[in-house]
Amino acid sequence: MIQVNANNILPFVPEDYLAGRAAALEQAQAWLQDATGAGNDFVGWVHLPRDYDKAEFVRIKTAAKKIQDQSSALVVIGIGGSYLGARGVIEALCSPNYNQKKKDTPNLYFAGNTLSSDALHEIVELIGDQDFSINVISKSGTTTEPAIAFRFFKELCEKKYGKEGARERIYATTDKQRGVLKSLADAEGYETFVVPDDVGGRYSVLTAVGLLPIAVCGVDIDALMAGAADMMALCAKGGADCPAWQYAAARSALYDSGKKIEILAAYEPSFRFMAEWWKQLYGESEGKEGKGLFPASVEFTADLHSMGQYIQQGERLMFETVVRFEKPLHAVTVPFDEADGDGLNFLAGRDMAFVNEQAMDGTLLAHVEGGVPNLIVHTGPNTAENMGALIYFFEYACGLSGYLLGVNPFNQPGVESYKKNMFALLGKPGYEDMRDALLAKLGK
């Protein structure tokens, strides 16, 4: 189960930082548990690991098996919360090199998260003549990036299999009753899965949004949900022993002490996209009203040879949250080299896990002594069950953190600004006056 070690922030915050926030945490806890706080229309994720749609869950597993049997590739179309969580879990549990590995499950290609024509073209090249299926994920069906990608791959699928064959290979994860994508799916006969009305995109990885592509890759989604349910039960109790309370209080105390950047670090390359998911979760939830920690991430030890200098001696604006897995899944021993030209024979016979652990501890000491507080999140082994627990832990702590900060953790009003500008510059009907003004600002 998740444990938080906050010993290495104590030189930087008041000794009673947790007790001093107990009343505020109790209020935030009540707002989450009773759905009575700001953004209460979007707290369906709080009890999701217990109350999820069991019938749909069975359909997800059935659809995943059908995709595995039918296709060598699955194109997952979505942006933001519609793909980051799924990709994070798949890379963490199956490998960042999932598509290159020998396996009995389809390759996965993520599309609709960029407007790059080269990226789109490359996916088509990589799929080649393989049989493929599509999982398009969008609550409305009108978000520009995934909508364009879906047009493209839908046409490709229909040309390859015909409209009848395509409808057996296209799966839409969308609104339960309304929206462009829901209407199209009903008209075309696609199998549909639900983006719940009360779960925002960045909190949706444990819904069909994330579970279908995760299941296609062979991850045990029963174990994933079981781990989340265990963490849900722990968080529901709250109190000083709750890891989500500990993490939220520590982040709040460090922010109040002047820290403005939180760096999420892990010593496993497979964790990279979990960090990307975490950045969206905390960035969209807290970054508003001129407030909030800036969420960044690094991949250690690689980034110690690039970002390490700044972290060690740059401006003291940051703290680190380090995710530590209990042990690797595979043991690798450092070989003996008779010439010993690199002078590393003193490590011969040592497990790489030991070497990595010493790098973690050495880095922690150096950064703390250099003025960078460190929080450590211990997860246990990298399993589906522990990953489910970690996801729920970060989600719950994020809800608490937003309320401690005094913002609505479940809206994202600033996201619309760039969209309006983009629509105007693209010439979308109704934006003509705005377009002329923007072109003048751009000097065009």
Side-chain angles (χ1 to χ4, degrees), residues 5 22 333:
N5 182 337
T333 302

Side-chain angles (χ1 to χ4, degrees), residues 45-63:
W45 58 271
V46 172
H47 299 122
L48 180 73
R50 180 193 68 199
D51 298 339
Y52 65 92
D53 186 331
K54 307 304 189 295
E56 182 182 61
F57 193 78
V58 172
R59 286 200 304 113
I60 288 170
K61 291 194 283 188
T62 301

Side-chain angles (χ1 to χ4, degrees), residues 49 66 180 229 233 349 372 397 420:
K66 181 181 174 184
V180 171
V372 180
K420 292 176 182 177

Side-chain angles (χ1 to χ4, degrees), residues 19 109 133 170 186 189 231 263 269-270 304 336 338 387 407:
Y109 300 100
S133 296
I170 297 176
D186 288 346
M231 181 54 64
I263 301 175
S270 63
L304 292 174
F336 175 83
E338 190 166 340
M387 191 58 62
V407 300

Side-chain angles (χ1 to χ4, degrees), residues 53-129:
D53 186 331
K54 307 304 189 295
E56 182 182 61
F57 193 78
V58 172
R59 286 200 304 113
I60 288 170
K61 291 194 283 188
T62 301
K65 180 65 168 61
K66 181 181 174 184
I67 293 168
Q68 290 170 345
D69 292 341
Q70 250 186 352
S71 298
S72 299
L74 172 66
V75 181
V76 179
I77 299 173
I79 195 167
S82 293
Y83 97 103
L84 285 172
R87 184 165 183 178
V89 171
I90 290 163
E91 291 205 3
L93 295 176
C94 301
S95 169
N97 304 307
Y98 169 80
N99 282 358
Q100 283 72 51
K101 297 186 74 171
K102 292 182 179 180
K103 56 193 180 299
D104 298 324
T105 51
N107 287 342
L108 240 70
Y109 300 100
F110 291 94
N113 51 68
T114 173
L115 292 170
S116 165
S117 58
D118 287 344
L120 194 66
H121 183 265
E122 183 178 60
I123 294 173
V124 176
E125 283 191 320
L126 289 169
I127 293 173
D129 294 329

Side-chain angles (χ1 to χ4, degrees), residues 154-421:
K154 175 176 175 285
E155 180 182 70
L156 201 66
C157 194
E158 289 178 346
K159 283 182 178 178
K160 186 177 178 74
Y161 302 106
K163 289 186 74 71
E164 288 293 326
R167 74 165 46 101
E168 293 297 315
R169 293 175 174 273
I170 297 176
Y171 302 81
T173 306
T174 188
D175 191 272
K176 186 176 183 178
Q177 295 180 318
R178 58 189 179 274
V180 171
L181 181 55
K182 173 59 176 171
S183 297
L184 175 65
D186 288 346
E188 296 290 343
Y190 306 149
E191 182 167 8
T192 60
F193 298 94
V194 175
V195 181
D197 287 336
D198 56 358
V199 179
R202 59 189 178 273
Y203 292 86
S204 68
V205 61
L206 296 176
T207 71
V209 169
L211 292 178
L212 180 56
I214 290 169
V216 168
C217 291
V219 173
D220 184 348
I221 60 173
D222 288 286
L224 193 74
M225 295 301 286
D230 287 344
M231 181 54 64
M232 181 195 75
L234 183 59
C235 289
K237 297 176 183 177
D241 293 331
C242 173
W245 276 44
Q246 294 165 1
Y247 181 47
R251 297 178 76 253
S252 174
L254 288 163
Y255 181 70
D256 289 347
S257 76
K259 301 302 180 184
K260 302 302 179 186
I261 300 169
E262 179 178 11
I263 301 175
L264 188 71
Y267 287 74
E268 291 293 340
S270 63
F271 198 76
R272 177 187 166 203
F273 261 89
M274 282 303 299
E276 294 298 318
W277 167 79
W278 172 89
K279 285 192 287 189
Q280 185 200 4
L281 179 66
Y282 281 82
E284 277 195 350
S285 297
E286 292 189 308
K288 55 200 72 165
E289 300 178 25
K291 302 177 183 178
L293 286 159
F294 181 83
S297 64
V298 289
E299 182 185 309
F300 288 160
T301 59
D303 284 336
L304 292 174
H305 297 261
S306 56
M307 292 296 292
Q309 172 61 39
Y310 189 95
I311 295 171
Q312 189 68 46
Q313 294 184 326
E315 287 205 49
R316 305 296 75 189
L317 297 173
M318 68 196 74
F319 69 93
E320 289 175 312
T321 296
V322 182
V323 176
R324 294 183 70 157
F325 294 100
E326 183 179 292
K327 59 182 179 180
L329 300 177
H330 307 286
V332 178
T333 302
V334 178
F336 175 83
D337 186 336
E338 190 166 340
D340 197 26
D342 54 16
L344 293 176
N345 269 353
F346 73 97
L347 293 176
R350 289 283 196 177
D351 194 288
M352 281 293 292
F354 169 80
V355 180
N356 203 24
E357 186 175 349
Q358 308 323 303
M360 292 186 216
D361 290 341
T363 302
L364 182 151
L365 292 171
H367 287 179
V368 172
E369 289 170 2
V372 180
N374 263 242
L375 282 164
I376 304 172
V377 177
H378 294 275
T379 68
N382 184 19
T383 63
E385 188 170 3
N386 285 334
M387 191 58 62
L390 184 65
I391 288 167
Y392 190 89
F393 159 77
F394 275 135
E395 289 179 344
Y396 201 83
C398 187
L400 294 173
S401 291
Y403 285 142
L404 288 181
L405 190 62
V407 300
N408 178 351
F410 308 113
N411 67 357
Q412 52 279 343
V415 172
E416 299 305 314
S417 299
Y418 94 90
K419 292 182 181 179
K420 292 176 182 177
N421 288 348

